[in-house]
Amino acid sequence: MKTILVSRAVAKPGWWIFGMVMLAAAWWGQPLVDSGHFENHFFGVFWYSMIALGLIFWGLPGEQFTDGTILERRTMLLGLLPLWRKSEPVSAFERVELTQEPNVFGKDSVWLSLIKSEDGETTRRFVFAYFPASQRGIAKAQQMAGDLSQISGLPFAQAASEV
């Protein structure tokens, strides 16, 4: 039996919270459409066009998948139906790496990537997942990096933190 590893946006609480916030914002904007003032209708069209744009991005989450031989990035309709796929062989990479990147606002990010380098220079990168750089996020990232390394057969290398 083959082991697979999947990183899904719909598995993260932020995806669900964003969807609920969009629904609440749509409900909150009803008075703009129901009003008798022309100005409110203008703002209502703007309001709902921004909500529609947000829902388009929300409704097309991404996921990464591997079975140890291929890496696949998919864009899914509501996390259920694949709309777009891009595949690459795992053999095109040489290691699994965790990289911490400082953010201007909020916590730093930890990126789980598969790397190909030549002469010490990274030439290809496939980002498999990202996590906030909290204790829990780093623990999850290290666990997934170990799983990805085991499934893919590539060595796991912890990169130095970038400053």
Side-chain angles (χ1 to χ4, degrees):
M1 183 169 117
K2 264 194 170 177
T3 305
I4 61 171
L5 186 63
V6 179
S7 173
R8 291 189 167 112
V10 297
K12 298 181 181 189
W15 188 80
W16 293 97
I17 291 169
F18 185 80
M20 287 186 269
V21 167
M22 288 287 101
L23 291 175
W27 180 80
W28 185 81
Q30 287 177 358
L32 294 173
V33 178
D34 292 339
S35 173
H37 297 287
F38 175 73
E39 296 86 11
N40 287 355
H41 290 287
F42 173 77
F43 291 121
V45 168
F46 176 75
W47 182 258
Y48 282 105
S49 63
M50 292 297 105
I51 289 174
L53 182 63
L55 285 174
I56 287 170
F57 284 111
W58 176 79
L60 299 172
E63 75 177 29
Q64 288 68 243
F65 161 89
T66 187
D67 63 359
T69 57
I70 64 160
L71 294 164
E72 188 171 281
R73 187 178 314 279
R74 305 181 241 192
T75 300
M76 309 289 281
L77 179 62
L78 298 175
L80 302 171
L81 179 69
L83 298 177
W84 176 82
R85 296 172 189 231
K86 181 183 177 188
S87 297
E88 294 189 49
V90 171
S91 60
F93 300 93
E94 60 188 28
R95 70 182 184 273
V96 174
E97 184 176 278
L98 282 178
T99 308
Q100 186 169 342
E101 178 182 337
N103 290 333
V104 176
F105 300 105
K107 290 188 167 95
D108 294 353
S109 297
V110 176
W111 298 89
L112 172 57
S113 308
L114 286 95
I115 304 292
K116 171 76 172 175
S117 20
E118 291 177 17
D119 301 326
E121 197 76 25
T122 299
T123 56
R124 292 183 76 190
R125 178 183 303 265
F126 184 96
V127 175
F128 194 81
Y130 70 94
F131 303 88
S134 62
Q135 277 186 323
R136 198 166 102 194
I138 291 171
K140 283 182 182 179
Q142 289 174 336
Q143 174 66 42
M144 187 176 274
D147 294 344
L148 183 58
S149 176
Q150 184 178 13
I151 290 169
S152 67
L154 299 173
F156 170 46
Q158 176 88 28
S161 296
E162 298 176 15
V163 182

PDB file of all heavy atoms in Angstrom, residues 4-20:
ATOM      1  N   ILE A   4       0.460   8.321   1.043  1.00  0.00           N
ATOM      2  CA  ILE A   4       0.362   9.629   0.392  1.00  0.00           C
ATOM      3  C   ILE A   4       0.381  10.719   1.452  1.00  0.00           C
ATOM      4  O   ILE A   4       0.066  10.480   2.610  1.00  0.00           O
ATOM      5  CB  ILE A   4      -0.902   9.755  -0.487  1.00  0.00           C
ATOM      6  CG1 ILE A   4      -2.168   9.583   0.354  1.00  0.00           C
ATOM      7  CG2 ILE A   4      -0.878   8.768  -1.622  1.00  0.00           C
ATOM      8  CD1 ILE A   4      -3.436   9.901  -0.400  1.00  0.00           C
ATOM      9  N   LEU A   5       0.767  11.907   1.047  1.00  0.00           N
ATOM     10  CA  LEU A   5       0.804  13.065   1.927  1.00  0.00           C
ATOM     11  C   LEU A   5       0.137  14.215   1.203  1.00  0.00           C
ATOM     12  O   LEU A   5       0.456  14.485   0.042  1.00  0.00           O
ATOM     13  CB  LEU A   5       2.251  13.421   2.289  1.00  0.00           C
ATOM     14  CG  LEU A   5       2.459  14.525   3.308  1.00  0.00           C
ATOM     15  CD1 LEU A   5       1.859  14.129   4.666  1.00  0.00           C
ATOM     16  CD2 LEU A   5       3.933  14.824   3.467  1.00  0.00           C
ATOM     17  N   VAL A   6      -0.787  14.883   1.875  1.00  0.00           N
ATOM     18  CA  VAL A   6      -1.545  15.979   1.265  1.00  0.00           C
ATOM     19  C   VAL A   6      -1.507  17.179   2.198  1.00  0.00           C
ATOM     20  O   VAL A   6      -1.662  17.051   3.399  1.00  0.00           O
ATOM     21  CB  VAL A   6      -3.020  15.569   1.016  1.00  0.00           C
ATOM     22  CG1 VAL A   6      -3.804  16.710   0.412  1.00  0.00           C
ATOM     23  CG2 VAL A   6      -3.105  14.339   0.131  1.00  0.00           C
ATOM     24  N   SER A   7      -1.288  18.349   1.629  1.00  0.00           N
ATOM     25  CA  SER A   7      -1.385  19.611   2.360  1.00  0.00           C
ATOM     26  C   SER A   7      -2.545  20.387   1.735  1.00  0.00           C
ATOM     27  O   SER A   7      -2.482  20.775   0.576  1.00  0.00           O
ATOM     28  CB  SER A   7      -0.085  20.402   2.239  1.00  0.00           C
ATOM     29  OG  SER A   7      -0.249  21.680   2.799  1.00  0.00           O
ATOM     30  N   ARG A   8      -3.606  20.583   2.493  1.00  0.00           N
ATOM     31  CA  ARG A   8      -4.821  21.229   1.979  1.00  0.00           C
ATOM     32  C   ARG A   8      -5.090  22.545   2.674  1.00  0.00           C
ATOM     33  O   ARG A   8      -5.013  22.641   3.892  1.00  0.00           O
ATOM     34  CB  ARG A   8      -6.036  20.338   2.216  1.00  0.00           C
ATOM     35  CG  ARG A   8      -6.061  19.106   1.411  1.00  0.00           C
ATOM     36  CD  ARG A   8      -7.421  18.423   1.569  1.00  0.00           C
ATOM     37  NE  ARG A   8      -7.547  17.406   0.569  1.00  0.00           N
ATOM     38  CZ  ARG A   8      -7.580  16.108   0.836  1.00  0.00           C
ATOM     39  NH1 ARG A   8      -7.507  15.694   2.068  1.00  0.00           N
ATOM     40  NH2 ARG A   8      -7.689  15.243  -0.148  1.00  0.00           N
ATOM     41  N   ALA A   9      -5.498  23.542   1.896  1.00  0.00           N
ATOM     42  CA  ALA A   9      -5.910  24.822   2.478  1.00  0.00           C
ATOM     43  C   ALA A   9      -7.213  24.660   3.246  1.00  0.00           C
ATOM     44  O   ALA A   9      -7.423  25.312   4.266  1.00  0.00           O
ATOM     45  CB  ALA A   9      -6.069  25.879   1.387  1.00  0.00           C
ATOM     46  N   VAL A  10      -8.114  23.789   2.780  1.00  0.00           N
ATOM     47  CA  VAL A  10      -9.401  23.618   3.455  1.00  0.00           C
ATOM     48  C   VAL A  10      -9.263  22.920   4.801  1.00  0.00           C
ATOM     49  O   VAL A  10     -10.194  22.907   5.584  1.00  0.00           O
ATOM     50  CB  VAL A  10     -10.434  22.872   2.574  1.00  0.00           C
ATOM     51  CG1 VAL A  10     -10.762  23.664   1.337  1.00  0.00           C
ATOM     52  CG2 VAL A  10      -9.977  21.488   2.219  1.00  0.00           C
ATOM     53  N   ALA A  11      -8.106  22.356   5.083  1.00  0.00           N
ATOM     54  CA  ALA A  11      -7.880  21.709   6.371  1.00  0.00           C
ATOM     55  C   ALA A  11      -7.466  22.716   7.444  1.00  0.00           C
ATOM     56  O   ALA A  11      -7.381  22.359   8.613  1.00  0.00           O
ATOM     57  CB  ALA A  11      -6.806  20.632   6.238  1.00  0.00           C
ATOM     58  N   LYS A  12      -7.224  23.940   7.037  1.00  0.00           N
ATOM     59  CA  LYS A  12      -6.779  24.963   7.990  1.00  0.00           C
ATOM     60  C   LYS A  12      -7.975  25.796   8.459  1.00  0.00           C
ATOM     61  O   LYS A  12      -8.845  26.149   7.665  1.00  0.00           O
ATOM     62  CB  LYS A  12      -5.725  25.854   7.349  1.00  0.00           C
ATOM     63  CG  LYS A  12      -4.494  25.053   6.971  1.00  0.00           C
ATOM     64  CD  LYS A  12      -3.428  25.894   6.367  1.00  0.00           C
ATOM     65  CE  LYS A  12      -2.265  24.983   6.019  1.00  0.00           C
ATOM     66  NZ  LYS A  12      -1.091  25.670   5.623  1.00  0.00           N
ATOM     67  N   PRO A  13      -8.022  26.129   9.737  1.00  0.00           N
ATOM     68  CA  PRO A  13      -9.155  26.902  10.260  1.00  0.00           C
ATOM     69  C   PRO A  13      -9.328  28.256   9.580  1.00  0.00           C
ATOM     70  O   PRO A  13     -10.450  28.745   9.443  1.00  0.00           O
ATOM     71  CB  PRO A  13      -8.818  27.092  11.743  1.00  0.00           C
ATOM     72  CG  PRO A  13      -7.792  26.068  12.055  1.00  0.00           C
ATOM     73  CD  PRO A  13      -7.081  25.761  10.780  1.00  0.00           C
ATOM     74  N   GLY A  14      -8.236  28.862   9.131  1.00  0.00           N
ATOM     75  CA  GLY A  14      -8.328  30.168   8.484  1.00  0.00           C
ATOM     76  C   GLY A  14      -9.196  30.159   7.244  1.00  0.00           C
ATOM     77  O   GLY A  14      -9.887  31.141   6.943  1.00  0.00           O
ATOM     78  N   TRP A  15      -9.201  29.055   6.500  1.00  0.00           N
ATOM     79  CA  TRP A  15     -10.035  28.954   5.299  1.00  0.00           C
ATOM     80  C   TRP A  15     -11.506  29.010   5.678  1.00  0.00           C
ATOM     81  O   TRP A  15     -12.293  29.717   5.068  1.00  0.00           O
ATOM     82  CB  TRP A  15      -9.703  27.661   4.546  1.00  0.00           C
ATOM     83  CG  TRP A  15     -10.374  27.579   3.212  1.00  0.00           C
ATOM     84  CD1 TRP A  15      -9.961  28.186   2.059  1.00  0.00           C
ATOM     85  CD2 TRP A  15     -11.560  26.857   2.881  1.00  0.00           C
ATOM     86  NE1 TRP A  15     -10.830  27.878   1.030  1.00  0.00           N
ATOM     87  CE2 TRP A  15     -11.816  27.059   1.515  1.00  0.00           C
ATOM     88  CE3 TRP A  15     -12.429  26.049   3.611  1.00  0.00           C
ATOM     89  CZ2 TRP A  15     -12.904  26.485   0.876  1.00  0.00           C
ATOM     90  CZ3 TRP A  15     -13.507  25.486   2.958  1.00  0.00           C
ATOM     91  CH2 TRP A  15     -13.737  25.703   1.606  1.00  0.00           C
ATOM     92  N   TRP A  16     -11.888  28.268   6.703  1.00  0.00           N
ATOM     93  CA  TRP A  16     -13.278  28.249   7.151  1.00  0.00           C
ATOM     94  C   TRP A  16     -13.679  29.586   7.768  1.00  0.00           C
ATOM     95  O   TRP A  16     -14.795  30.079   7.532  1.00  0.00           O
ATOM     96  CB  TRP A  16     -13.487  27.110   8.147  1.00  0.00           C
ATOM     97  CG  TRP A  16     -13.348  25.781   7.494  1.00  0.00           C
ATOM     98  CD1 TRP A  16     -12.236  24.988   7.478  1.00  0.00           C
ATOM     99  CD2 TRP A  16     -14.327  25.113   6.699  1.00  0.00           C
ATOM    100  NE1 TRP A  16     -12.473  23.860   6.740  1.00  0.00           N
ATOM    101  CE2 TRP A  16     -13.751  23.908   6.250  1.00  0.00           C
ATOM    102  CE3 TRP A  16     -15.630  25.416   6.322  1.00  0.00           C
ATOM    103  CZ2 TRP A  16     -14.447  23.009   5.459  1.00  0.00           C
ATOM    104  CZ3 TRP A  16     -16.323  24.499   5.536  1.00  0.00           C
ATOM    105  CH2 TRP A  16     -15.725  23.324   5.109  1.00  0.00           C
ATOM    106  N   ILE A  17     -12.799  30.189   8.537  1.00  0.00           N
ATOM    107  CA  ILE A  17     -13.095  31.481   9.163  1.00  0.00           C
ATOM    108  C   ILE A  17     -13.295  32.548   8.092  1.00  0.00           C
ATOM    109  O   ILE A  17     -14.227  33.355   8.171  1.00  0.00           O
ATOM    110  CB  ILE A  17     -11.977  31.879  10.154  1.00  0.00           C
ATOM    111  CG1 ILE A  17     -12.008  30.942  11.363  1.00  0.00           C
ATOM    112  CG2 ILE A  17     -12.105  33.331  10.585  1.00  0.00           C
ATOM    113  CD1 ILE A  17     -10.805  31.059  12.275  1.00  0.00           C
ATOM    114  N   PHE A  18     -12.450  32.554   7.059  1.00  0.00           N
ATOM    115  CA  PHE A  18     -12.594  33.526   5.978  1.00  0.00           C
ATOM    116  C   PHE A  18     -13.945  33.370   5.286  1.00  0.00           C
ATOM    117  O   PHE A  18     -14.612  34.360   4.971  1.00  0.00           O
ATOM    118  CB  PHE A  18     -11.458  33.378   4.962  1.00  0.00           C
ATOM    119  CG  PHE A  18     -11.484  34.420   3.884  1.00  0.00           C
ATOM    120  CD1 PHE A  18     -10.988  35.687   4.121  1.00  0.00           C
ATOM    121  CD2 PHE A  18     -12.023  34.140   2.631  1.00  0.00           C
ATOM    122  CE1 PHE A  18     -11.019  36.657   3.131  1.00  0.00           C
ATOM    123  CE2 PHE A  18     -12.059  35.098   1.639  1.00  0.00           C
ATOM    124  CZ  PHE A  18     -11.554  36.361   1.888  1.00  0.00           C
ATOM    125  N   GLY A  19     -14.376  32.134   5.050  1.00  0.00           N
ATOM    126  CA  GLY A  19     -15.683  31.896   4.439  1.00  0.00           C
ATOM    127  C   GLY A  19     -16.815  32.435   5.294  1.00  0.00           C
ATOM    128  O   GLY A  19     -17.751  33.062   4.788  1.00  0.00           O
ATOM    129  N   MET A  20     -16.729  32.225   6.600  1.00  0.00           N
ATOM    130  CA  MET A  20     -17.768  32.735   7.504  1.00  0.00           C
ATOM    131  C   MET A  20     -17.764  34.266   7.544  1.00  0.00           C
ATOM    132  O   MET A  20     -18.822  34.890   7.589  1.00  0.00           O
ATOM    133  CB  MET A  20     -17.581  32.154   8.903  1.00  0.00           C
ATOM    134  CG  MET A  20     -17.959  30.694   8.976  1.00  0.00           C
ATOM    135  SD  MET A  20     -17.909  30.051  10.647  1.00  0.00           S
ATOM    136  CE  MET A  20     -16.221  29.475  10.718  1.00  0.00           C
TER     137      MET A  20
END
